[in-house]
Amino acid sequence: MELTTVWFCLIAVLWIGYFVLEGFDFGVGMLLPMLARDDRERRVMINTIGPVWDGNEVWLLTAIGATFAAFPEWYATLISGFYVPVFLILIALIVRGVAFEYRHQRPSVTWAGWWDRAVIFGSYVPAFLWGVAFANIVRGVPIDADFEFTGTVLTLLNPYGLLGGLVTLSLFVTHGALFIALKTDGEIRGRARALALRLGVVAAVLGVVFMFWTQALTGNLGTAVLFVVAAPALVGGLGAAYVGREGVAFTGTFLAIGLVVAGIFVGLFPDVMPSSTDLANSLTTTNAAASPYTLKLMTIVAAVFAPIVVGYQAWTYWIFRKRISIHHIPAAH
């Protein structure tokens, strides 16, 4: 297998890891105003992701860094063409990260309320815009012979792109509700499970429409197979939530999100960014790749450090695996 193909697959794995892990903590942030009845319950929800949210973002940083190093032409066209949504995502992630760290610095209810709004904003924006961005990559965007994006922000706000945003948002919020049900106890656990069922129905409907539309665009058999498996994974997860098996339910949404993202990358290959202007202008794993020496060096580095990072993150999840509830949260002074 050529190293360009290897790195395309590795970048796909990084994005899959990012969406299935960061997806649930986006969901937790979006659900703050829906599930929590008071400040102690909001603190419970935030504490479920407190030890892991920043580790989840490592997958994004690694995916973007790997794209820059392995496929610099793809990185340049993507970041310049999608500058506005990427900038908004970056601002949202910064605001969200600051909110987690600053929320508890003062006992004021007003202070905490504003940082809660920052968490909500910082969760909704990337949850929606990542779907818009990836849907447009699959659909194709206007790229000229110099591999430069020639469209505008409005080019990205097409029906398929907006549907992609709604799909990721609905899947992430369902994923987050099931994570809360898995990680908490008491009343909030029951409310999260019930809400996950209602949200999951919406996510399933939007997901089916998106999968059929994507299959019509790509016509890829591998994509079709992955999508066919993703649908029962989501439905099975909702069924497990209905009977109170939160672990199985969370696994179902975990697999569904991962399979959908995998299907998108399978449908793209060997392109990394199709051109809607002229297929000859499309960026591929060949014309967007770095030099063979760079790819060889990156492969050695990845082989050494990737298992360490994955192992450390798995250890973190194991250490913080227990449920929490409001009796773990001291009353405010």
Side-chain angles (χ1 to χ4, degrees), residues 64 74-94 125 129-130 132-134 136-137 141-142 148-157 273:
I64 293 176
W74 182 15
Y75 174 89
T77 304
L78 179 65
I79 299 301
S80 61
F82 290 46
Y83 180 81
V84 172
V86 170
F87 178 76
L88 291 175
I89 290 170
L90 179 61
I91 293 297
L93 292 178
I94 292 173
V125 170
L129 290 182
W130 279 131
V132 173
F134 271 85
N136 275 283
I137 292 174
V141 292
E148 294 182 359
F149 178 81
T150 58
T152 64
V153 175
L154 295 179
T155 305
L156 307 178
L157 301 180
M273 204 162 179

Side-chain angles (χ1 to χ4, degrees), residues 214-243:
T214 302
Q215 183 58 28
L217 290 173
T218 65
N220 188 289
L221 179 60
T223 299
V225 171
L226 291 169
F227 283 175
V228 166
V229 179
L234 176 59
V235 174
L238 297 178
Y242 182 77
V243 298

Side-chain angles (χ1 to χ4, degrees), residues 185-197:
D185 214 346
E187 293 182 5
I188 193 171
R189 176 185 177 184
R191 292 200 300 270
R193 188 169 63 239
L195 183 58
L197 292 173

Side-chain angles (χ1 to χ4, degrees), residues 18 36 60 68 75 78 86 115 136 141 146 152 167 173 189 201 235 260 268 272-273 298:
Y18 175 66
L60 172 63
F68 171 75
Y75 174 89
L78 179 65
V86 170
W115 288 118
N136 275 283
V141 292
D146 295 322
T152 64
V167 168
V173 76
R189 176 185 177 184
V201 172
V235 174
V260 169
L268 273 176
V272 294
M273 204 162 179
M298 288 176 59

